[in-house]
Amino acid sequence: MFIALILLVAKCSFAIGCGLPASSATIEVPGHPFAAVSSPDDCWLFVSLSVGNEKGALGVLKNTGDGFALDYVVPLAGPAFGESISPGGDILAVTEGATVEVFEVGKLVRHESHPVTARLQEGRDAGAIYASMSPDGKLLFVSDEYAKRVSIFDLAKVREGPGDGSSLVGRIPAGIAPVGLATSPDGKWLYVTSEVGPPVPGGKSCKPEGKDGRSHPEGLLLRVNVEMAVSDPAHAITGVLPVGCNPVRVAVSPSGKDLWVSARGDDSLLRLQPADWTADGAHLKLKVYPVGPNPIGIAVRGDDSQVWVAVSDRFGKRGRGVLAGLAYQPGDVSNHEVKLMKTDNLEYPREVAFFHDNRTLAVTLFDANRVAIVRTPD
């Protein structure tokens, strides 16, 4: 009876949620924050950090009832980037360029030693930067920016062992600089951004973003058949769509009716309906919303009524960073009543993610070494 009770408590450890602050706030963290994701009960916030000298850390922030505060830090071998937490909240994947660290969330919450359950080796020059788990919690997708691929891992095997390579399912060729990842709610499709597509006669030319950059063709949104990716990853891409200059993130609405892409080089947020995506993409209507300089991270509210994007001002650094939000009707790209909302200025907002109240955002402020908690309007 006692053992059964312990197991029941363990399974239900995220059943009772923590309240979120009624007003916006910022929390200082010991490094440059890339991403932030919350536990299913919103009692904890996990922040990936770069801390100098090519080192990294995972910041563990606790919801104290009055707000979030840094509880402790887990040192990591390299700078930490993208994060993804499993649907049940038991494991957390954090990309580190050459590796992916997989943490047991229960151990992180209890501040136990050795919280890493597996270390997935991607290779020194892979550039593992972003992570996304499938809705059923069976697969982990990792975008390897420098290696031009997306790696697929079997999470059942990841949970079993230290990451000896047996959990690798396969790798999808994904063009130049694949970063953003998102899965459809039914788990059938994986969407991947590729910053630069191949040259096309008469195609769009994009300006260089940085001082040492070069002009280049517009980037792509790739559609991957997940079932095919498991059995034949080299041939799993079933659709390719040009989506402007330097697309870096993609998000799917909870209903699955809308896709949102941040075109960083075009200062725009793009919207399209995946149901209209035929093999040649001929019937797709691509709606473009100018939002401000260098948009990056995207988050869609759980009620499918608002989408928010981090307008980073990454390359200008003229203090124009903000969060931009759109209030919209799901699946209606022709709707002209879309409302644009903006926050006060922020210092290089990079990633945004909703807490589970579907109203409050966690925002990483990369240059400010802070995480902002922002309430979105009704």
Side-chain angles (χ1 to χ4, degrees), residues 148-150 152 171-176 178 181 188-194 220-241 277-279:
K148 304 177 183 179
R149 70 193 185 198
V150 174
I152 313 168
R171 291 187 164 120
I172 307 164
I176 297 174
L181 301 170
K188 292 182 179 179
W189 305 104
L190 171 71
Y191 299 99
V192 185
T193 63
S194 171
L220 306 171
L221 181 65
L222 313 178
R223 184 183 61 184
V224 176
N225 182 306
V226 172
E227 185 177 0
M228 289 178 62
V230 172
S231 60
D232 186 10
H235 300 95
I237 295 175
T238 62
V240 179
L241 185 70
W277 195 340
T278 58

Side-chain angles (χ1 to χ4, degrees), residues 1-13:
M1 175 72 75
F2 183 67
I3 294 175
L5 181 60
I6 291 176
L7 291 173
L8 179 62
V9 170
K11 288 182 179 180
C12 300
S13 59

Side-chain angles (χ1 to χ4, degrees), residues 206-225:
C206 299
K207 297 181 297 183
E209 289 188 304
K211 293 180 180 179
D212 300 324
R214 299 179 179 178
S215 298
H216 54 271
E218 67 180 313
L220 306 171
L221 181 65
L222 313 178
R223 184 183 61 184
V224 176
N225 182 306

Side-chain angles (χ1 to χ4, degrees), residues 7-148:
L7 291 173
L8 179 62
V9 170
K11 288 182 179 180
C12 300
S13 59
F14 293 112
I16 301 173
C18 292
L20 293 167
S23 58
S24 299
T26 63
I27 307 101
E28 187 174 355
V29 291
H32 297 296
F34 187 99
V37 298
S38 65
S39 59
D41 58 3
D42 290 336
C43 293
W44 300 88
L45 187 66
F46 307 107
V47 182
S48 57
L49 301 167
S50 298
V51 296
N53 296 321
E54 293 301 311
K55 299 294 183 181
L58 180 68
V60 181
L61 279 62
K62 184 177 182 179
N63 187 336
T64 65
D66 297 321
F68 282 88
L70 182 66
D71 195 47
Y72 70 101
V73 171
V74 181
L76 299 175
F81 303 115
E83 299 178 298
S84 183
I85 195 166
S86 60
D90 64 320
I91 58 173
L92 172 74
V94 181
T95 62
E96 290 182 60
T99 62
V100 181
E101 304 272 13
V102 182
F103 294 86
E104 290 187 41
V105 173
K107 288 187 176 182
L108 288 173
V109 168
R110 296 188 296 270
H111 200 164
E112 293 183 12
S113 59
H114 309 298
V116 175
T117 188
R119 183 172 288 109
L120 310 177
Q121 301 297 330
E122 286 283 74
R124 190 175 69 175
D125 299 322
I129 190 167
Y130 216 73
S132 179
M133 296 191 195
S134 60
D136 60 9
K138 293 182 179 180
L139 298 172
L140 169 65
F141 304 100
V142 176
S143 52
D144 299 326
E145 184 176 12
Y146 303 150
K148 304 177 183 179

